[in-house]
Amino acid sequence: MRVLAFGAHPDDIEFRMAGTLAKYAKRGDEVFMCVATNGEIGSYGMSRAEIAALRHKEAQASADVIGAHLIWLGYEDEMLFDNRETRMAFIEAVRIARPDVIFAPPKYRDYNQDHDICGYLAFQARVLATVKLMETEHPVIDHLPPLFTCTAHGGLSMKTNPQYFVDITDTFETKMKMFKCHASQDGPWSKDAFGVLYSDILVGENKFYAGACGTAGVEYVEAFTLATDWPIIAGAHTLLP
Ligand SMILES: [Zn+2]
């Protein structure tokens, strides 16, 4: 299988989908991680250019942990908009990955607009990547992949409860290894900005969803919702690992 995950910022995919991606990678599937913005506001000490360059390296190191392909779009942090350029870039990312399944943030549910717009663009790109006259460098994809949205930051602002729960107990260590590649964020930035460690929020979320499942031996869970807008792919949940 081929799997594509979209994230607005360089550590977003790791936060909510990396355990699931690691499960795909572990069984031999090909994984693509597409990061929309360069994360250039995530520092109190470095310049925009310095932190953006560092975060690109951190994202690559994280992708390398599971042998994933990194697609780095490099748009300005906190300035992701749905316009011609970004829409075409997302379409191209889908065509590069040719995914059987796509993961993305939920659209219009989170505190951060980059997350929302990333989710919206992914949703648009999934369909438009099949349309021949939406011309990009890579050819159209020949099938429409289902799209699963991850949970919103902190698991809040969800309009509905998630539908599908992936047991990531066996890949949680790998997920943390990926997340820790983003060392510029888990400490210097999150402590200064919010007074908490991002990794603590991450552990709390994955444990919360495990608790919601209430299944023996299931310690960490990532939760998803199948995009319910037309067109819906029947049986899409069978593509989850
Ligand atoms: Zn983010």
Side-chain angles (χ1 to χ4, degrees):
M1 263 180 61
R2 297 169 70 89
V3 180
L4 170 62
F6 283 103
H9 306 117
D11 54 354
D12 287 358
I13 293 172
E14 286 79 352
F15 231 117
R16 304 209 158 69
M17 318 175 204
T20 300
L21 298 184
K23 284 178 85 93
Y24 283 118
K26 198 174 167 185
R27 70 183 198 189
D29 294 331
E30 199 157 357
V31 176
F32 294 78
M33 297 167 68
C34 180
V35 178
T37 75
N38 60 13
E40 67 188 339
I41 66 154
S43 174
Y44 282 106
M46 296 181 219
S47 69
R48 279 179 177 253
E50 285 167 345
I51 187 65
L54 176 58
R55 297 195 72 179
H56 191 172
K57 278 188 194 152
E58 290 174 340
Q60 185 62 60
S62 169
D64 289 346
V65 170
I66 57 168
H69 307 272
L70 178 67
I71 302 173
W72 182 263
L73 300 184
Y75 287 108
E76 186 181 357
D77 199 352
E78 304 311 315
M79 294 291 164
L80 187 65
F81 299 107
D82 175 22
N83 55 37
R84 190 181 201 287
E85 186 187 339
T86 54
R87 205 178 287 187
M88 297 309 284
F90 271 62
I91 291 169
E92 182 72 327
V94 173
R95 289 174 176 172
I96 289 168
R98 289 184 286 112
D100 298 295
V101 60
I102 298 175
F103 292 88
K107 49 179 182 171
Y108 305 130
R109 288 179 185 172
D110 203 310
Y111 78 102
N112 182 285
Q113 182 167 295
D114 284 352
H115 298 170
D116 295 348
I117 297 295
C118 179
Y120 186 75
L121 284 165
F123 180 80
Q124 298 297 323
R126 153 185 108 104
V127 176
L128 292 176
T130 67
V131 177
K132 190 182 174 197
L133 292 181
M134 292 296 289
E135 291 165 335
T136 64
E137 198 178 310
H138 286 74
V140 293
I141 56 171
D142 58 6
H143 64 283
L144 189 67
L147 186 149
F148 288 93
T149 58
C150 63
T151 50
H153 197 72
L156 299 173
S157 304
M158 299 290 295
K159 286 182 180 158
T160 57
N161 286 324
Q163 300 166 312
Y164 300 109
F165 300 86
V166 177
D167 176 9
I168 59 161
T169 309
D170 63 333
T171 55
F172 186 74
E173 208 176 296
T174 306
K175 170 175 174 150
M176 284 308 283
K177 195 173 172 189
M178 294 170 75
F179 192 73
K180 292 283 182 187
C181 288
H182 298 274
S184 70
Q185 302 304 293
D186 191 38
W189 163 254
S190 68
K191 272 281 189 191
D192 288 345
F194 305 110
V196 293
L197 279 177
Y198 277 155
S199 51
D200 288 342
I201 298 174
L202 178 156
V203 171
E205 279 185 38
N206 290 154
K207 276 187 173 292
F208 168 78
Y209 289 117
C213 292
T215 307
V218 176
E219 292 176 43
Y220 300 98
V221 163
E222 286 174 342
F224 300 97
T225 299
L226 180 65
T228 50
D229 314 70
W230 184 92
I232 292 171
I233 312 297
H237 64 281
T238 60
L239 299 174
L240 291 171

